[in-house]
Amino acid sequence: MRYYVVLRTLGSVSWLLAGFMFVPLLVALYFREPLYVFAVPLTIILIFAYLLTFFFKEKEKEWNNKEAIFIVASTWFVAAVFYAIPYMLEGVPLINALFESMSGVTATGATALTDIESHSKSLLFWRSMTQWLGGMGIIMLFIAILPKIGVAGRQMFRAEVPVLKEEKLHPRIRETAKNLWLIYFVLSIVEFIVLIMAGLSPYDAITHTFTSISCAGFSPYSFNIAAFNDPVVEMILLFFMFLGSVNFALHYKFLLTDRKNIFMDEEFKFYFSIIVSASLVLAYTLFRTDVYSLIDAFRYSSFHVVSILTTTGYATVDFNLWPDSSRFILFLLMFIGGCAGSTSGGVKAVRLLLLLKHANNILFKTIHPKAVTPVRLNGTMVPEGIINSIVSFMVVYIMIFFASSTLLSLLGMDFITSLSASIATLGNVGPGLGLVGPIEGYAAIPDLGKLILIANMWIGRLEVFTVIVLLLPAFWKN
Amino acid sequence: MRYYVVLRTLGSVSWLLAGFMFVPLLVALYFREPLYVFAVPLTIILIFAYLLTFFFKEKEKEWNNKEAIFIVASTWFVAAVFYAIPYMLEGVPLINALFESMSGVTATGATALTDIESHSKSLLFWRSMTQWLGGMGIIMLFIAILPKIGVAGRQMFRAEVPVLKEEKLHPRIRETAKNLWLIYFVLSIVEFIVLIMAGLSPYDAITHTFTSISCAGFSPYSFNIAAFNDPVVEMILLFFMFLGSVNFALHYKFLLTDRKNIFMDEEFKFYFSIIVSASLVLAYTLFRTDVYSLIDAFRYSSFHVVSILTTTGYATVDFNLWPDSSRFILFLLMFIGGCAGSTSGGVKAVRLLLLLKHANNILFKTIHPKAVTPVRLNGTMVPEGIINSIVSFMVVYIMIFFASSTLLSLLGMDFITSLSASIATLGNVGPGLGLVGPIEGYAAIPDLGKLILIANMWIGRLEVFTVIVLLLPAFWKN
Ligand SMILES: [K+]
Ligand SMILES: [K+]
């Protein structure tokens, strides 16, 4: 690894990280709130960026695999560290600030704040905005960076090749990334306008636009979306969470080329059928156990299925109070996530779909040993290497899930808290069950546990491999 | 599928199933207990066997894949159905009897009896004996049948090839199977004698020999091994559970050829290191939370780690009362299981080991895209097909685990009960946590739930594929 290349790029990234912070500074100015909350970290980041670009002048556009992986992993890490400062300046303890900050930039939405409303409006605005920026970064990661490096994201890109290539969508990655950002931006503006029309204040509209299209889940209110108690707002947010969780290459396709064939995409069909069937089952459990009327059962089930499956993590009621059968379904959904190339987290529907197809093929081979049955997606053969990559991803993912659950339980957390906190952070969902429900947040987790969960968010958001390979000794050998 | 072949074989198997039942008949005679409990089912099975062999005379020694799979799956099913009759004749309701019977022949050890001591000594003898027979059947399955058919077990056999082939161990499978049965038989006799020497009554010694060497877990006492409260008995049982969970090809090797190199076997080393590290961690959780003194913490932790990891499911205390951190470790161990080619259930250590190696390889490839790194076991390259087979096994296994957990939770079971009952039956462990702990048993599960768990035991014991392929439409096409 050429360290000058890595540090130079980190310097360039830091200018960008600093630049974003002018926005909350203006918001603080508008609300007449203390400016130092943002001015101090802004200054620190600017100094950091200046020093790096001053000492490492040599620009390099071609990174090798290791360098690219290190740059991606450290970008999110550095962002989380710097962006923790505003929380600390408003009195949040170090670990909690780092937790909140990582939860922001990874668009996880798990909160360690004990009294959300006690913080300044500008900080809560910034808290939501970091998630919107995180969402942007994730799309870029999927579409532009991961496919270039050999990370598990690669297969996702290849899986998208049928869409991207056949349609002769812009062949240059930089161009593609720009277009998808544009879609993200336009969708955000549309959502903002619709929320304003639904009666939300501009502040509420923008903070919730930030955290729904990015499948992120922060809200300036401790009661989260329950603060509005408005079915129209819920439906709008549901719709935009859903849009955020769909492959942005499909958005592009839908907007610019083919309006019908989007429903032919196998991942999309698979994902959509999970939403519908899970909503039905969840509504059944809620209705049968007399929690809600039939209509309310559907209202709350569809919202929370979409919220959890898109890995947004919004809540319109405290689902932690639901019976175990209902909570179990939410727990299951945390393992799935949205589509690849979206802002959602989790394992992603396409990985599960390909894994199921692969398993089915091998089963078939048990009966017909000589059958040759390659896995196909959207009619195109999926190379063996991609299947292997997905398998490896799943193995490492499940390992991390079990390891972090075990560590939490060793720290004294109960069964449900350990399991759900692990998957809710690793899958970038946000709220879990037990001690870490949507109302409780993560304040009850001991500091050591919070550090584990911070790592989970970081690892999960960067598609596991990007962080985990840093642990291989081979990574650090030349 | 040629039905006459299948039915003829099932007929021959039924003669055997009937033959075994003369033993409890003698035991009932000895204890002067009612004979009809065994005489009635014995007569029924004899009629069944006679009818099948009368109508289907044509013998066939060469089965194709489908036929072999169907014969294996239906053998365990038919055994479970017939062997349920004695329980029913002692007043156990149909579903509970079926549950107990399936739990017997699959060596699971989950019990649905509400008052074990209320049953006749001969029935409880028979209950343990079915597990010993089941354990025998499982070894035969692994060593002689699964490798012949293309079932997931095949890879296990191939994984053993380094042992079996290099040493020019008997090349003919029938011969191998016979030798391994002999080891099983001899180990059982040794254990029986040792238990007698430790002061157990012949009845206690034989029933617990039956259920420890087979990693099965039934006991004629509702307090299970806690009934003895004797550290020496515990250590003897621990040792023989462990022996039962080791690949029987290794036993053969150890006894007849190479006494040192057994510790070179990678699966064995991996398995052993899990036992040691899990025992240490579990002891730590028990000591730290003031459940036991340091010595007792080690005594109970080592016994229950071995009991759960070997998938025996014995208990010397009610581990369901332990703190969540301790229970979580037992829950994790339920996903692992013993070595391939042993009487233990679960995923098996070698599958996990190969999966970890595979995942590590792919991770390495992320950094060095051009590296060629085949998976090796004991120095031999593991073919791609075996890795694929393991992956497919794991996917289907996890799917069934989640599906049955979901169904249980929909039936109103709580989180911990749903999760632990699923894996404890699918992994053929026996007792779980929550409502299905070692003292409680499975009586509290509703009938529909019991049927699901009966299916789990059946599927888990026959290495998943053998049962699951029956669900593929392709299986029933000619
Ligand atoms: K989220
Ligand atoms: K067992």
Side-chain angles (χ1 to χ4, degrees):
Chain A
M1 204 160 61
R2 297 164 297 174
Y3 287 95
Y4 66 91
V5 171
V6 171
L7 292 172
R8 162 79 211 191
T9 312
L10 216 55
S12 314
V13 169
S14 298
W15 287 113
L16 209 62
L17 292 179
F20 293 139
M21 250 195 174
F22 281 99
V23 181
L25 202 65
L26 291 176
V27 175
L29 212 61
Y30 175 83
F31 284 118
R32 294 162 196 268
E33 289 172 339
L35 298 182
Y36 72 92
V37 171
F38 303 102
V40 171
L42 178 50
T43 315
I44 295 174
I45 309 175
L46 284 175
I47 294 171
F48 180 79
Y50 177 77
L51 287 177
L52 282 187
T53 39
F54 180 80
F55 284 110
F56 306 98
K57 290 217 180 339
E58 211 168 336
K59 278 192 182 175
E60 182 71 55
K61 292 223 161 156
E62 276 304 307
W63 311 322
N64 65 32
N65 264 17
K66 280 190 197 176
E67 287 156 5
I69 289 170
F70 188 86
I71 289 165
V72 168
S74 59
T75 294
W76 255 266
F77 187 80
V78 165
V81 170
F82 283 138
Y83 288 177
I85 302 172
Y87 298 105
M88 293 174 70
L89 292 178
E90 286 204 7
V92 179
L94 173 67
I95 303 286
N96 285 15
L98 209 59
F99 187 93
E100 204 71 13
S101 171
M102 184 60 97
S103 180
V105 296
T106 58
T108 304
T111 185
L113 298 183
T114 42
D115 183 4
I116 295 178
E117 277 87 349
S118 72
H119 292 282
S120 70
K121 288 193 111 181
S122 48
L123 182 70
L124 297 178
F125 174 93
W126 171 239
R127 182 166 164 265
S128 287
M129 186 179 155
T130 56
Q131 298 206 315
W132 189 74
L133 296 172
M136 213 175 201
I138 292 147
I139 296 178
M140 192 190 72
L141 211 61
F142 254 102
I143 307 289
I145 303 178
L146 292 184
K148 275 181 78 176
I149 58 184
V151 171
R154 186 187 49 168
Q155 75 261 23
M156 297 297 104
F157 179 70
R158 288 228 196 124
E160 286 156 23
V161 161
V163 177
L164 288 175
K165 205 168 168 188
E166 281 174 17
E167 314 291 324
K168 296 236 168 67
L169 209 101
H170 303 266
R172 282 168 54 217
I173 288 173
R174 181 183 281 262
E175 195 71 15
T176 308
K178 215 185 270 174
N179 282 322
L180 298 178
W181 280 10
L182 193 66
I183 293 172
Y184 187 66
F185 200 77
V186 170
L187 284 178
S188 301
I189 289 172
V190 172
E191 180 176 4
F192 175 74
I193 294 168
V194 176
L195 283 175
I196 291 281
M197 278 162 40
L200 256 55
S201 72
Y203 180 80
D204 287 349
I206 197 162
T207 49
H208 291 91
T209 294
F210 277 156
T211 61
S212 52
I213 195 72
S214 59
C215 295
F218 271 155
S219 165
Y221 306 107
S222 42
F223 285 109
N224 206 273
I225 310 304
F228 302 115
N229 194 21
D230 180 343
V232 176
V233 172
E234 284 172 33
M235 280 171 65
I236 296 168
L237 292 175
L238 186 154
F239 182 67
F240 282 94
M241 287 190 278
F242 174 72
L243 289 187
S245 73
V246 171
N247 192 326
F248 272 65
L250 278 189
H251 283 307
Y252 189 89
K253 200 180 169 188
F254 181 74
L255 288 170
L256 277 106
T257 58
D258 195 345
R259 226 155 278 216
K260 283 171 205 151
N261 285 341
I262 179 172
F263 294 102
M264 302 292 285
D265 183 74
E266 280 194 63
E267 182 189 21
F268 184 81
K269 282 194 290 186
F270 180 63
Y271 177 59
F272 197 76
S273 60
I274 296 174
I275 291 182
V276 172
S277 47
S279 299
L280 289 175
V281 177
L282 181 58
Y284 165 78
T285 64
L286 290 174
F287 179 65
R288 197 206 46 173
T289 51
D290 294 325
V291 180
Y292 300 114
S293 69
L294 191 62
I295 290 181
D296 274 358
F298 273 103
R299 171 180 165 191
Y300 292 118
S301 106
S302 59
F303 185 87
H304 291 94
V305 162
V306 169
S307 168
I308 299 294
L309 197 60
T310 60
T311 74
T312 306
Y314 276 158
T316 59
V317 290
D318 187 0
F319 54 70
N320 207 7
L321 301 174
W322 286 354
D324 266 18
S325 55
S326 312
R327 296 200 300 164
F328 195 85
I329 292 167
L330 296 183
F331 175 66
L332 273 188
L333 294 177
M334 290 183 189
F335 285 87
I336 302 178
C339 299
S342 73
T343 62
S344 71
V347 159
K348 310 278 182 321
V350 69
R351 280 208 187 89
L352 278 187
L353 180 63
L354 290 177
L355 215 53
L356 288 177
K357 286 183 173 209
H358 180 59
N360 186 55
N361 273 359
I362 307 282
L363 262 179
F364 184 80
K365 268 195 170 174
T366 303
I367 318 171
H368 298 287
K370 283 167 194 165
V372 178
T373 49
V375 172
R376 288 175 178 281
L377 187 74
N378 294 329
T380 310
M381 215 183 89
V382 181
E384 193 98 346
I386 289 176
I387 301 291
N388 280 340
S389 207
I390 292 176
V391 166
S392 179
F393 177 92
M394 291 303 296
V395 172
V396 177
Y397 196 86
I398 299 286
M399 290 278 302
I400 296 170
F401 164 68
F402 275 128
S404 64
S405 309
T406 308
L407 290 172
L408 285 183
S409 95
L410 288 178
L411 289 172
M413 301 294 103
D414 66 273
F415 232 86
I416 298 182
T417 301
S418 304
L419 290 171
S420 66
S422 289
I423 190 65
T425 48
L426 188 60
N428 299 113
V429 176
L433 303 167
L435 291 179
V436 295
I439 302 300
E440 296 87 346
Y442 284 72
I445 302 281
D447 276 356
L448 198 57
K450 283 203 195 100
L451 287 175
I452 293 163
L453 298 180
I454 289 170
N456 271 2
M457 295 191 249
W458 185 39
I459 293 169
R461 181 42 90 191
L462 300 185
E463 297 292 310
V464 179
F465 281 25
T466 320
V467 175
I468 292 298
V469 290
L470 301 183
L471 301 176
L472 294 183
F475 187 88
W476 303 100
K477 276 185 205 147
N478 263 326
Chain B
M1 202 160 61
R2 297 163 300 173
Y3 287 94
Y4 67 93
V5 172
V6 171
L7 292 172
R8 164 77 211 191
T9 313
L10 215 54
S12 313
V13 169
S14 298
W15 286 113
L16 209 63
L17 292 178
F20 295 139
M21 248 192 175
F22 281 99
V23 181
L25 203 65
L26 292 174
V27 175
L29 212 61
Y30 175 83
F31 285 116
R32 295 163 194 267
E33 291 173 336
L35 298 182
Y36 70 93
V37 172
F38 304 103
V40 171
L42 178 51
T43 315
I44 294 175
I45 309 175
L46 284 174
I47 294 172
F48 180 78
Y50 176 78
L51 286 176
L52 282 185
T53 40
F54 181 80
F55 283 111
F56 306 98
K57 288 214 183 337
E58 210 167 337
K59 279 193 184 174
E60 181 71 56
K61 292 223 162 157
E62 276 305 307
W63 310 322
N64 64 33
N65 264 17
K66 280 189 196 177
E67 287 156 6
I69 289 169
F70 188 85
I71 288 165
V72 168
S74 59
T75 295
W76 257 266
F77 187 79
V78 165
V81 170
F82 284 138
Y83 289 176
I85 301 172
Y87 299 105
M88 293 173 70
L89 293 177
E90 287 205 6
V92 179
L94 174 66
I95 303 287
N96 286 16
L98 209 59
F99 186 94
E100 205 71 11
S101 171
M102 186 60 97
S103 181
V105 296
T106 58
T108 304
T111 184
L113 299 181
T114 42
D115 183 6
I116 295 177
E117 277 86 349
S118 73
H119 292 282
S120 70
K121 288 192 112 182
S122 48
L123 183 70
L124 296 178
F125 175 92
W126 171 239
R127 179 166 165 267
S128 288
M129 186 181 156
T130 56
Q131 299 206 315
W132 189 73
L133 296 172
M136 212 175 203
I138 291 147
I139 296 178
M140 193 191 71
L141 210 61
F142 253 102
I143 307 290
I145 302 178
L146 292 184
K148 275 181 78 177
I149 58 186
V151 171
R154 185 187 48 166
Q155 74 261 22
M156 297 299 105
F157 178 70
R158 288 227 195 127
E160 286 155 22
V161 162
V163 176
L164 287 175
K165 205 172 173 186
E166 281 173 19
E167 315 291 324
K168 293 239 165 68
L169 208 101
H170 303 265
R172 282 169 54 217
I173 288 172
R174 182 183 281 262
E175 196 71 14
T176 309
K178 214 184 268 173
N179 283 324
L180 297 178
W181 281 9
L182 193 67
I183 293 172
Y184 187 67
F185 200 78
V186 169
L187 284 177
S188 302
I189 289 171
V190 173
E191 179 176 5
F192 174 75
I193 294 167
V194 176
L195 282 175
I196 292 280
M197 279 162 39
L200 257 54
S201 74
Y203 180 81
D204 287 349
I206 196 163
T207 49
H208 290 92
T209 294
F210 278 157
T211 60
S212 51
I213 195 72
S214 59
C215 296
F218 272 154
S219 165
Y221 306 106
S222 41
F223 285 108
N224 205 274
I225 309 306
F228 302 116
N229 193 21
D230 180 342
V232 175
V233 172
E234 285 173 31
M235 278 171 68
I236 296 169
L237 292 176
L238 186 155
F239 182 66
F240 282 93
M241 288 191 276
F242 174 71
L243 289 186
S245 73
V246 171
N247 193 327
F248 272 65
L250 277 189
H251 283 308
Y252 189 88
K253 200 182 170 189
F254 182 75
L255 288 170
L256 277 106
T257 58
D258 195 346
R259 224 155 281 215
K260 284 171 205 151
N261 285 340
I262 179 173
F263 294 103
M264 301 291 286
D265 183 74
E266 282 195 62
E267 181 188 22
F268 183 81
K269 282 194 291 184
F270 180 62
Y271 177 59
F272 197 77
S273 59
I274 295 174
I275 292 181
V276 172
S277 46
S279 298
L280 289 175
V281 177
L282 182 57
Y284 165 76
T285 64
L286 290 174
F287 178 65
R288 198 206 48 172
T289 52
D290 293 325
V291 180
Y292 300 114
S293 69
L294 192 61
I295 290 180
D296 274 358
F298 274 103
R299 170 180 165 191
Y300 291 119
S301 106
S302 58
F303 185 87
H304 290 95
V305 161
V306 170
S307 168
I308 299 294
L309 198 60
T310 61
T311 75
T312 306
Y314 276 157
T316 58
V317 289
D318 186 359
F319 55 70
N320 207 7
L321 301 175
W322 286 353
D324 265 17
S325 54
S326 311
R327 297 200 299 163
F328 195 85
I329 292 167
L330 296 182
F331 174 67
L332 274 189
L333 295 176
M334 291 184 188
F335 286 86
I336 301 177
C339 299
S342 74
T343 61
S344 71
V347 160
K348 311 274 184 317
V350 69
R351 281 209 186 90
L352 278 187
L353 180 62
L354 290 177
L355 215 51
L356 287 177
K357 286 182 174 212
H358 180 58
N360 186 53
N361 273 358
I362 307 283
L363 263 180
F364 184 79
K365 268 196 170 175
T366 304
I367 317 171
H368 298 288
K370 283 166 195 166
V372 179
T373 48
V375 172
R376 287 174 179 283
L377 188 75
N378 294 329
T380 311
M381 215 183 89
V382 180
E384 193 99 346
I386 289 176
I387 301 290
N388 281 339
S389 209
I390 292 175
V391 167
S392 179
F393 177 92
M394 291 303 297
V395 172
V396 177
Y397 197 86
I398 297 286
M399 290 278 303
I400 295 170
F401 164 68
F402 274 130
S404 64
S405 308
T406 308
L407 290 172
L408 286 182
S409 94
L410 288 179
L411 289 171
M413 302 293 104
D414 65 272
F415 232 86
I416 297 182
T417 302
S418 304
L419 290 172
S420 67
S422 288
I423 191 64
T425 49
L426 187 60
N428 300 114
V429 177
L433 303 167
L435 291 178
V436 297
I439 302 300
E440 296 86 347
Y442 284 73
I445 302 282
D447 276 357
L448 199 57
K450 284 202 194 100
L451 287 175
I452 294 163
L453 298 180
I454 289 170
N456 271 3
M457 295 189 249
W458 186 39
I459 293 169
R461 183 41 90 191
L462 300 184
E463 297 291 310
V464 180
F465 280 26
T466 320
V467 175
I468 291 298
V469 291
L470 301 182
L471 300 176
L472 294 183
F475 187 89
W476 302 101
K477 275 183 204 148
N478 264 326

